Amino acid sequence: NAGVTQTPKFQVLKTGQSMTLQCAQDMNHEYMSWYRQDPGMGLRLIHYSVGAGITDQGEVPNGYNVSRSTTEDFPLRLLSAAPSQTSVYFCASRRRGYTDTQYFGPGTRLTVL
Amino acid sequence: DAKTTQPPSMDCAEGRAANLPCNHSTISGNEYVYWYRQIHSQGPQYIIHGLKNNETNEMASLIITEDRKSSTLILPHATLRDTAVYYCIVRVRDNYGQNFVFGPGTRLSVLP
């Protein structure tokens, strides 16, 4: 299994540009989530999904959109990037009601100029 | 979820046991204690979790006090590769939609 994969690894955007961060998992996990991590801080939840077609907001959802059309994929969209969205983004997945282990992807480092 | 308190940083000599404390004085009866770690800028990695009893796996041991208000993660023989930020998290197990809330954690430096 590849586990949780994220693309791209690095991205530089200009203010106002849009982009999609990709996340995929091949473990058939129901639960997927997006976190952001700012320097010296812990991870903050952006959005999460408990299954295909079901998404909900986390702690810091503003400026981000998500959708979950398949079990495997959970893309994160930035509609109009702002410098405050400069951060490292992590995607994670786990089984619902089966295991407590949450698997994280390698992260995407995003810089918004 | 109960709030946790961890020291911001700790040092440990290579080959010695690393004991990382965590206070969670407001923990509820059905909340588990989880430990994750993050090496450099990689994604967090699951270490161990427990409810009441002490737990041990191939990575570490988790000691939970009888009143459950604090716990200690023990890395029995720390290596340089254990240098990381360690997060202590409490949450209800398998709660539909329940998420992991990561605080700033403890930065463990294993010294040669």
Side-chain angles (χ1 to χ4, degrees), chain B residues 37-91:
Chain B
R37 72 179 182 182
Q38 187 174 25
I39 297 174
H40 194 46
S41 298
Q42 300 176 20
Q45 176 190 24
Y46 167 82
I47 302 173
I48 199 168
H49 75 279
L51 180 63
K52 296 180 186 177
N53 300 323
N54 299 336
E55 301 288 344
T56 296
N57 63 20
E58 64 278 5
M59 291 182 68
S61 295
L62 175 60
I63 308 298
I64 302 174
T65 58
E66 192 170 342
D67 62 7
R68 302 187 69 239
K69 293 186 177 182
S70 65
S71 60
T72 301
L73 178 75
I74 301 173
L75 308 178
H77 305 286
T79 70
L80 299 178
R81 286 177 292 185
D82 291 322
T83 292
V85 177
Y86 288 77
Y87 298 99
C88 171
I89 302 162
V90 294
R91 66 185 280 272

Side-chain angles (χ1 to χ4, degrees), chain A residues 52-97:
Chain A
I54 305 170
T55 64
D56 206 346
Q57 296 180 351
E59 179 186 359
V60 287
N62 292 342
Y64 308 94
N65 279 354
V66 292
S67 60
R68 184 98 178 268
S69 56
T70 67
T71 299
E72 294 78 20
D73 300 299
F74 190 43
L76 178 72
R77 282 183 288 276
L78 284 71
L79 299 180
S80 179
S84 61
Q85 294 178 304
T86 293
S87 189
V88 181
Y89 291 83
F90 290 101
C91 179
S93 75
R94 66 179 174 91
R95 289 193 192 280
R96 171 191 166 190

Side-chain angles (χ1 to χ4, degrees), chain A residues 11 16 31:
Chain A
Q11 183 70 50
Y31 197 101

Side-chain angles (χ1 to χ4, degrees), chain B residues 15-36:
Chain B
R16 305 297 291 268
N19 298 286
L20 290 89
C22 180
N23 286 324
H24 31 79
S25 59
T26 60
I27 193 170
S28 300
N30 62 345
E31 288 182 318
Y32 283 67
V33 179
Y34 292 77
W35 283 84
Y36 278 73

